[in-house]
Amino acid sequence: MVPTTIPLLPCTAPGPTIEFYRALGFDTSDQQTKPYLHLAFTLSGIELHFKEPAPGLNAADELSGGCLVMVDEVAGHHAAFTAGLRAHYGRLPVTGLPRIRRLRPRQSRFCLYDPSGNCVVFIRRDEAEITYGGSRSLSGLAKALDNVAIFRDFKEDDVLAARALDTALRRYRDSAPRIDLARALADRIELAIALGDDETADSVRAELDSMMLTPAEGDAVALELQAITDLQRWLA
């Protein structure tokens, strides 16, 4: 028989943890708080177990624990979790704890953060190799965009991604190819929306609109533009 590995994660808040995983669609296979804490959840072959946290563990630090869940595809899971969370909480939890991260077009992973600060990462099995620090085949604004994608999609730091993109735009705005500039502006709009920065989103959108992209240029940045539309619909 093949050995089985099951994550055993710390739980600082049993009630909210049960509520969160049930909202995601998990079944509760064990729910024990005395004489010791043990919670167990299952969903389509995925098993997550929980135990007492270490003394002094602060869930807000989001360093409690976590696991990787390798799946054939991520979009279906993300859509189902989104629907379940929205239905249960009456809104989509996208900040604080618990929360779900957005899934961009063609993105191969997304994260869930539970009430105890554990991170559960759903990853597509065939995810391509990740090059951290930007591809060596790129330069200028294109390379900066590659770096921004690492901050945004894998380090999950929208603030850092926005800061890096602002720096790159100041440096390369006047010299970058139009397609690279349009991609950068579209990515900045999406980051501003994700961060709740309506003022920046509006000003950068005005700059992008002023470029008056040709149909061919619009096709070249379709993925970035679709990410904006998808995010707005997801948050609505």
Side-chain angles (χ1 to χ4, degrees), residues 43-58:
L43 174 68
S44 303
I46 303 167
E47 291 192 51
L48 299 174
H49 289 211
F50 294 82
K51 65 179 181 65
E52 292 282 355
L57 178 66
N58 186 354

Side-chain angles (χ1 to χ4, degrees), residues 8-164:
L8 184 58
L9 305 173
C11 176
T12 62
T17 296
I18 294 169
E19 182 182 10
F20 176 68
Y21 283 100
R22 283 181 174 172
L24 293 172
F26 282 77
D27 293 324
T28 306
S29 56
D30 196 0
Q31 182 179 334
Q32 174 181 301
T33 57
K34 294 181 179 180
Y36 57 88
L37 175 66
H38 181 240
L39 305 177
F41 305 95
T42 61
L43 174 68
S44 303
I46 303 167
E47 291 192 51
L48 299 174
H49 289 211
F50 294 82
K51 65 179 181 65
E52 292 282 355
L57 178 66
N58 186 354
D61 291 336
E62 298 182 2
L63 297 173
S64 305
C67 69
L68 308 180
V69 182
M70 312 303 293
V71 294
D72 292 333
E73 56 82 30
V74 294
H77 289 283
H78 191 267
F81 293 159
T82 292
L85 292 172
R86 199 188 300 275
H88 180 78
Y89 292 105
R91 60 178 180 82
L92 195 59
V94 296
T95 59
L97 294 175
R99 71 179 183 274
I100 183 173
R101 286 282 296 178
R102 66 191 184 278
L103 182 69
R104 304 179 76 256
R106 300 183 188 175
Q107 192 170 332
S108 56
R109 60 171 64 190
F110 70 91
C111 295
L112 297 167
Y113 289 84
D114 73 14
S116 297
N118 296 298
C119 179
V120 182
V121 189
F122 281 72
I123 303 178
R124 199 177 64 214
R125 295 182 195 278
D126 63 349
E127 180 181 84
E129 182 179 350
I130 304 167
T131 302
Y132 291 97
S135 172
R136 294 182 180 180
S137 65
L138 301 174
S139 62
L141 187 55
K143 185 171 184 176
L145 285 170
D146 204 41
N147 282 322
V148 167
I150 296 297
F151 298 146
R152 179 192 60 213
D153 300 339
F154 297 100
K155 294 187 176 181
E156 297 218 327
D157 192 333
D158 287 339
V159 173
L160 180 58
R163 188 180 302 134

